[in-house]
Amino acid sequence: MSELQNRWYNVVLKNLTTSPSLTQLIQPAPPLEPSDTALWARENTVPPASLTFNRQMVESAFFFDEYATVIQALSVPESTLVTVIGSGVHQDWLKYLKGLTPQPDEDRLPDVFYAWAMTYHPEVANEGVSALRDIVRLRVLQRLLRSYQGPPPRPAEYLGGSRELLSMLSNSRSATISFDSATTSGDVSGTWTRGVNKDFSGLWAGADRLDATTTRFARSVVTVEAELGGYVVWPVNPDPRWYDSSQLHEAYTKHSSPPWAANPQTHWDMAFGEKSGRLQRAIASLLVVERLTSVVTSDAAFPPEDQQVIKAKAAAGLWPFFVPTGDGVTNKADFDGGKLRLTTTAPAGKPLVIGAHVLPTARYLGGSSAIPGERDLC
């Protein structure tokens, strides 16, 4: 099944004109619920290093949770301000601040400091307000992220929502994926995972890829004609109300304290390290389709008992899209002389997420390559 899945991956890249340096296929592909939170949940994922991401087999981390963990491990100590303005001026500032009634909100402290410093210590006003802004910005962000984590927890918002996605799909171009396993290469060594493609289903959703029926299917000549009535590349952008790319960039490019706290519960390797880092990559965009018609054929002759199993399992979703039956979706398995024909249809207005563009953290944060000492593998 691995060879067939690799061949399918290559033909998707070719037909949808997408890059092997960042594309990942996603299975299964149930229709998205018509809500912003359902769409955001698909975006809020740290994908695995595999050309296929099976959401039923692999428990992935949430991007928001890993991002928040990193931000909470950072610190810009008060000593940063002291170093910039001097201990004497710092004592004068604290004395002035203590005497204010009412006490200013934390996010107003830089403005209050600047007005005070321009009056009494103008020589350090600009450097001091810059340092204080860094301190306050991180504290405010950390407090905001804690509010998202609850109780009760709040969904992490992303820019754009269900209505905008449906509008894009209704105005998008159609696409066709034509596949013949006999003529399509299975070489995926030049992809972003250097050939790693794992944790995918067999012939139906949940089927073991080494299952005997799946193996019979995978070893046959398989063809696919898939008509995508709508196809869009949907950009994934965390809402700037909670996402601060500059703070994450600072954490990623520096291993020491600051910006990391002196004794953080999470350190750099736990977040970004090649062996066990939980935030090594992120989703830059989703590949979304609607109005799907997929016809799959196999030249293998399936015995009656296999035919019964395939028909019984078809509702779970069939290779290669694995769209479960229901909500307007149909899956049908027919046989002619034991030879298989699978038909899957999905209606308009029911978006299916079939893939994603995945970036390593360095590129996601705007870098062209990994930092020194890190491999360039997503």
Side-chain angles (χ1 to χ4, degrees), residues 329-350:
V329 176
T330 64
N331 286 288
K332 187 178 181 182
D334 296 308
F335 295 88
D336 183 2
K339 293 184 178 181
L340 175 64
R341 178 185 173 93
L342 306 176
T343 305
T344 298
T345 64
K350 304 295 181 181

Side-chain angles (χ1 to χ4, degrees), residues 152-168:
R154 295 163 51 189
E157 304 97 339
Y158 283 71
L159 300 184
S162 177
R163 183 176 299 178
E164 292 89 342
L165 175 59
L166 288 172
S167 177
M168 281 185 65

Side-chain angles (χ1 to χ4, degrees), residues 84-125:
V84 170
I85 66 176
S87 60
V89 175
H90 184 250
Q91 289 300 315
D92 290 347
W93 158 243
L94 293 181
K95 182 177 180 181
Y96 169 77
L97 184 61
K98 186 177 180 180
L100 294 178
T101 305
Q103 286 286 292
D105 293 336
E106 187 173 41
D107 58 359
R108 289 194 58 245
L109 284 179
D111 293 336
V112 174
F113 171 86
Y114 187 73
W116 170 81
M118 284 299 291
T119 301
Y120 299 102
H121 300 281
E123 71 281 1
V124 297

Side-chain angles (χ1 to χ4, degrees), residues 129-166:
V129 75
S130 178
L132 188 55
R133 281 187 182 129
D134 289 343
I135 295 170
V136 169
R137 186 177 65 165
L138 179 59
R139 289 176 181 172
V140 170
L141 178 59
Q142 289 172 332
R143 186 167 60 248
L144 174 67
L145 294 177
R146 286 193 292 270
S147 75
Y148 271 81
Q149 294 168 311
R154 295 163 51 189
E157 304 97 339
Y158 283 71
L159 300 184
S162 177
R163 183 176 299 178
E164 292 89 342
L165 175 59
L166 288 172

